[in-house]
Amino acid sequence: MKEDKLIPGSLIGAMLLVAGSCVGAGMLALPVLTGLCGFTLAVILLFLAWGFMTYTALLLLEINGWFYKQVNIISMAAKGFGTFGKVLSWSLYLFLFYSLLVAYIAGGSSVVSMYLGFLSTKTLMLLFTGILAIVVFFGTKSVDFVNRILMVGLIVTYFAMILLGFFKIEPNLLKGIRFEYVLLPLPVLITSFGFHNMIPSLTAYLKGDLRRMRLAIIGGSAIALFIYLIWQFFVIGVVPFEGKQGLLMNFQRGKEVGSILQVYLKNSAIVYFSQGFALFAIITSFIAQALSLMHFIGDGLKIEKVNRNILLLLLTFIPPLLFAMIYPSVFYQALGFAGGICATILFGVMPALLAWIGRYNKKFTSQYHVFGSKIGLIIILAFSLIIILNELFKLLGFALF
């Protein structure tokens, strides 16, 4: 056991865990939302969201360097903001990630029902959650191993769908620009690059090597960005904005991209690949988010041994499983709010404020420092404020755009 603690984790594995955490179920809705803006704006928004989330992740890495043991965002917030920060981070984190796990359980069991349709919905949810809970139970290395296999499946089905429909891309569909939808995709984009909760777990996995963690963050998020860019090009180039089966109407109906592509590609193989892609996307994100949630709860409850802990496993999986079984639609409606407000505060506002307090007020030291000084932190706070205000205005019945 002592010998295992001296073995550093794999940098490639850490990158894939970051990418797997990003490329989740949100990818099935993302092209529909960004497609409303047009391809040019979709690309700009992707780079903007990637830069924003990668920078704030590096800020959290710097903050992680304040500590001499594995911690999560509760301990970080408590050190920077005191009791208020601790309570706020608990509330936002649990709301956000329980909501995500509910969505993954409901969505994953729905996809599995296409293969095991003879089982009831509740049985499928129990089966889906139970199998993946076993993977998470054995810790980061177990999740890393399974995630690598699933990422291969994700990439194969992803490129298979693109190859099947590549020659159906119409260049004219890539020309439109619609500024009235420019803020609409931002909450989903934020959660689509949301791997920040993995940073404490991955830092422990890489034995506290912050240089390798920096490479894992930039490399893993860049893999996700590359996948998203090709995906946007493909979907927006195939599916028109208007029409009975266009992006706008399907957005209004709440349909995900897999079912839309089946209409336009008219290829039976796309059905199987889209189902496989959806399942791999959901599972890779599910196990990564569940692992980080388990570490988060363990940190909050001051439980040092997180792996193979039955109590933490139950606290991680039972609440979202019960909610998914009882009434998942409430949480689907809350995901926009969770991404636009909870995720933006947790992974935008909080890292910037903590870095400001740690650097300039409390003079904390870390092995790693992010470039940008005060100007970078102000830009992050301003961008976060735009997203939060737009979501709050939407809740009141109107939006900035």
Side-chain angles (χ1 to χ4, degrees):
M1 195 66 163
K2 290 182 179 179
E3 183 181 353
D4 181 61
K5 290 184 178 180
L6 299 175
I7 302 173
S10 163
L11 177 59
I12 297 298
M15 284 185 182
L16 290 178
L17 281 169
V18 169
S21 182
C22 292
V23 183
M27 191 174 178
L28 304 176
L30 191 56
V32 179
L33 294 169
T34 55
L36 297 178
C37 304
F39 180 67
T40 302
L41 279 180
V43 171
I44 293 172
L45 288 172
L46 274 169
F47 273 98
L48 191 63
W50 173 73
F52 172 77
M53 293 297 276
T54 302
Y55 189 82
T56 57
L58 293 174
L59 286 175
L60 279 180
L61 183 62
E62 176 182 328
I63 295 162
N64 198 84
W66 296 349
F67 301 86
Y68 297 98
K69 61 178 182 178
Q70 183 180 349
V71 295
N72 215 302
I73 201 165
I74 291 178
S75 297
M76 296 180 190
K79 187 160 186 172
F81 304 128
T83 303
F84 171 76
K86 188 173 184 179
V87 173
L88 181 64
S89 60
W90 257 105
S91 304
L92 292 172
Y93 199 106
L94 288 176
F95 182 85
L96 174 62
F97 287 99
Y98 274 144
S99 298
L100 287 174
L101 292 189
V102 168
Y104 295 152
I105 291 170
S109 59
S110 176
V111 175
V112 172
S113 69
M114 299 176 185
Y115 306 98
L116 302 172
F118 57 90
L119 296 175
S120 68
T121 301
K122 289 184 178 180
T123 302
L124 287 170
M125 287 183 176
L126 280 170
L127 184 66
F128 179 81
T129 307
I131 292 173
L132 297 180
I134 293 172
V135 175
V136 176
F137 176 72
F138 288 100
T140 307
K141 288 195 174 182
S142 170
V143 171
D144 176 20
F145 176 76
V146 173
N147 184 71
R148 293 191 200 194
I149 297 172
L150 294 171
M151 284 296 289
V152 172
L154 180 73
I155 292 168
V156 169
T157 53
Y158 166 80
F159 281 108
M161 282 194 297
I162 290 178
L163 290 173
L164 285 171
F166 185 79
F167 295 103
K168 291 184 178 288
I169 293 175
E170 297 182 21
N172 288 334
L173 296 178
L174 300 170
K175 295 179 180 179
I177 295 179
R178 291 169 286 273
F179 287 101
E180 62 268 32
Y181 299 104
V182 70
L183 292 183
L184 184 65
L186 284 179
V188 176
L189 278 166
I190 293 301
T191 54
S192 294
F193 285 105
F195 57 90
H196 299 52
N197 51 306
M198 293 290 295
I199 290 174
S201 301
L202 289 176
T203 302
Y205 178 56
L206 293 177
K207 308 304 178 193
D209 190 334
L210 299 188
R211 183 189 65 83
R212 296 176 78 214
M213 265 300 300
R214 176 178 173 272
L215 294 174
I217 288 171
I218 295 173
S221 62
I223 292 172
L225 175 65
F226 176 74
I227 292 173
Y228 288 145
L229 284 170
I230 296 178
W231 190 231
Q232 308 304 296
F233 175 77
F234 173 63
V235 175
I236 297 172
V238 169
V239 184
F241 172 74
E242 296 177 321
K244 189 176 180 180
Q245 294 294 336
L247 291 171
L248 181 59
M249 183 166 287
N250 279 291
F251 163 69
Q252 293 168 345
R253 292 175 177 175
K255 287 191 175 181
E256 48 86 15
V257 73
S259 60
I260 301 171
L261 287 174
Q262 293 172 26
V263 174
Y264 285 92
L265 297 178
K266 297 177 181 177
N267 188 322
S268 59
I270 196 69
V271 176
Y272 300 104
F273 285 121
S274 65
Q275 289 172 357
F277 172 76
L279 187 60
F280 289 131
I282 289 169
I283 294 177
T284 52
S285 192
F286 180 85
I287 58 176
Q289 304 297 357
L291 176 70
S292 62
L293 178 58
M294 191 164 72
H295 279 275
F296 172 85
I297 296 172
D299 179 51
L301 297 178
K302 303 301 180 185
I303 298 175
E304 294 198 8
K305 183 174 173 51
V306 175
N307 295 341
R308 306 189 186 193
N309 188 301
I310 295 293
L311 174 63
L312 290 179
L313 192 76
L314 294 176
L315 289 174
T316 300
F317 287 99
I318 294 300
L321 177 61
L322 290 176
F323 279 118
M325 287 180 165
I326 296 169
Y327 193 58
S329 61
V330 170
F331 283 85
Y332 280 117
Q333 294 167 1
L335 285 178
F337 172 81
I341 295 181
C342 295
T344 305
I345 294 174
L346 277 172
F347 305 141
V349 175
M350 196 169 287
L353 288 180
L354 282 172
W356 189 294
I357 290 170
R359 290 176 185 174
Y360 307 115
N361 294 351
K362 299 189 176 182
K363 308 297 182 182
F364 293 144
T365 58
S366 176
Q367 299 175 36
Y368 173 72
H369 292 275
V370 187
F371 67 94
S373 66
K374 291 183 179 180
I375 295 175
L377 300 181
I378 290 171
I379 292 172
I380 292 299
L381 290 170
F383 187 68
S384 300
L385 187 62
I386 291 172
I387 300 171
I388 293 168
L389 285 177
N390 189 59
E391 287 303 304
L392 288 174
F393 287 153
K394 279 199 293 187
L395 289 175
L396 297 174
F398 60 96
L400 296 178
F401 284 86

